[in-house]
Amino acid sequence: VVDDELLIRKSLGKVLRASGYTVDVASNGAEGLEKVGSLKPQVMILDMRLPDTDGLTVLRRARELDALLQVIIITAYGDVQAAVDAMKLGACDFVRKPYEMEDIVLAVESAGRTFRQASELDLYRRRAWQHYSGEEIIGESTAMDRVRGLIEKVVKSKATSVLITGESGTGKELVARAIHYRSDRGQAPLMEVNCSSFQEALLENELFGHEKGAYTDATDTKKGLVELCDGGTLFLDEVADMPLPTQAKLLRFIDHRNFKRVGGAHDISVDIRIVAATNKDLDEEVRIGRFRGDLYF
């Protein structure tokens, strides 16, 4: 808890300890940052107004020290812009003064869950990077050397759409993962979907998500894979089996880099690389009308 008011530090510490948390406090930004470095806390409750600096400076420096740290901003009523700026810098939540203690406890519970999820995801990414960075692509031949050379070209390029073709069992999925984990997107999510495993409506929902109330069973808003892998890579396996209406929506997304969730009214923009794979001859699939020529292009 980083706050310059002694009474607030004491009261927040008492309530949070009663809820089962281990709590430390700091009265200014410098002390708070020192404790982030030494204690490695999971959650920081940070007042925006401090005697030695402002909350945004502390937030920015704290996130540099520990990217997994979840920061809850305490802000005065009406200081909305500061809260918005804090969220852009990576704060997970903000609570306006005057607040109820229950609001703080709920915010800390939510931040704790986010921290655990982020920690698990970070561990998964590091393990995946070690496993899928390309070493498992084996074989010594001119053809395999050419494949490795192509992977390196794609990894270093800014190409945002990549198509991998080849017969079943030749390692298309391994190539897709090597492209992701060896690129500068390797620390961001890799989301994979087998296009042959879903019916049209389900595949669109899987890719683009839905808004609450979009259909009968949509009781909550759901983010799709496109949104979840922002900054990373979306791997579309068996892309030739994608239904034609979904192909049209994918084409629009590739052209504009934004989309609407099912039932949504607003465009959402993301920065992802799409890697698609198929064992079919797409020239032939286009000729017989099963795959869109513009999407293939």
Side-chain angles (χ1 to χ4, degrees):
V1 177
V2 184
D3 197 299
D4 61 331
E5 295 188 35
L6 177 61
L7 182 60
I8 290 177
R9 295 198 302 274
K10 284 187 173 181
S11 59
L12 282 178
K14 181 179 179 180
V15 168
L16 290 169
R17 288 186 185 99
S19 297
Y21 295 100
T22 301
V23 183
D24 212 308
V25 297
S27 59
N28 57 55
E31 185 184 2
L33 289 172
E34 180 184 347
K35 292 193 174 185
V36 168
S38 61
L39 300 177
K40 297 294 181 184
Q42 297 180 6
V43 179
M44 170 190 276
I45 300 172
L46 174 64
D47 190 20
M48 286 294 287
R49 302 181 184 277
L50 298 168
D52 59 338
T53 185
D54 64 278
L56 292 180
T57 300
V58 176
L59 168 61
R60 187 183 296 108
R61 181 68 185 125
R63 295 279 294 175
E64 289 173 356
L65 290 172
D66 186 353
L68 297 179
L69 175 67
Q70 303 300 306
V71 182
I72 300 166
I73 295 293
I74 304 296
T75 182
Y77 182 80
D79 200 5
V80 176
Q81 186 56 51
V84 171
D85 293 340
M87 299 297 278
K88 289 180 179 178
L89 288 173
C92 68
D93 202 353
F94 70 93
V95 179
R96 290 194 187 97
K97 294 179 180 178
Y99 51 78
E100 300 291 336
M101 285 298 179
E102 182 181 354
D103 296 336
I104 297 291
V105 174
L106 290 173
V108 171
E109 287 178 0
S110 177
R113 287 194 296 270
T114 302
F115 176 88
R116 288 191 293 275
Q117 291 168 356
S119 299
E120 291 169 2
L121 183 58
D122 182 64
L123 177 61
Y124 166 78
R125 286 174 183 164
R126 284 188 278 113
R127 286 177 176 172
W129 186 90
Q130 292 169 353
H131 185 66
Y132 293 122
S133 57
E135 288 92 1
E136 77 287 357
I137 298 178
I138 60 174
E140 298 299 330
S141 67
T142 302
M144 288 306 299
D145 288 343
R146 189 163 60 247
V147 168
R148 292 190 184 93
L150 283 170
I151 290 172
E152 288 306 310
K153 283 185 178 180
V154 173
V155 162
K156 295 173 183 177
S157 80
K158 297 301 179 182
T160 52
S161 298
V162 182
L163 177 65
I164 305 168
T165 61
E167 297 174 10
S168 296
T170 51
K172 297 186 294 297
E173 185 176 348
L174 296 181
V175 171
R177 290 176 173 177
I179 288 171
H180 172 73
Y181 287 110
R182 292 176 70 85
S183 74
D184 57 5
R185 297 177 181 271
Q187 296 303 309
L190 168 67
M191 296 292 174
E192 305 180 22
V193 59
N194 189 315
C195 299
S196 65
S197 301
F198 294 89
Q199 295 177 344
E200 178 189 328
L202 292 176
L203 180 58
E204 181 182 351
N205 189 56
E206 188 76 4
L207 290 174
F208 300 113
H210 63 251
E211 296 289 352
K212 182 178 180 180
Y215 49 86
T216 304
D217 295 328
T219 55
D220 292 295
T221 295
K222 175 196 171 187
K223 293 182 178 181
L225 297 182
V226 167
E227 193 171 352
L228 290 171
C229 71
D230 190 14
T233 303
L234 175 67
F235 176 44
L236 301 173
D237 201 9
E238 306 295 350
V239 71
D241 295 327
M242 180 179 285
L244 283 167
T246 312
Q247 290 180 31
K249 292 182 173 65
L250 178 64
L251 174 64
R252 182 191 179 280
F253 170 70
I254 291 174
D255 282 342
H256 302 286
R257 292 291 155 174
N258 58 40
F259 66 96
K260 292 182 179 69
R261 297 186 190 125
V262 176
H266 303 291
D267 284 332
I268 299 170
S269 298
V270 293
D271 170 26
I272 68 172
R273 169 181 273 162
I274 294 176
V275 179
T278 180
N279 60 2
K280 294 183 178 179
D281 181 346
L282 285 189
D283 286 303
E284 178 64 13
E285 294 296 302
V286 169
R287 189 188 67 80
I288 60 181
R290 285 201 295 246
F291 201 80
R292 293 181 63 108
D294 45 7
L295 178 58
Y296 182 31
F297 175 78

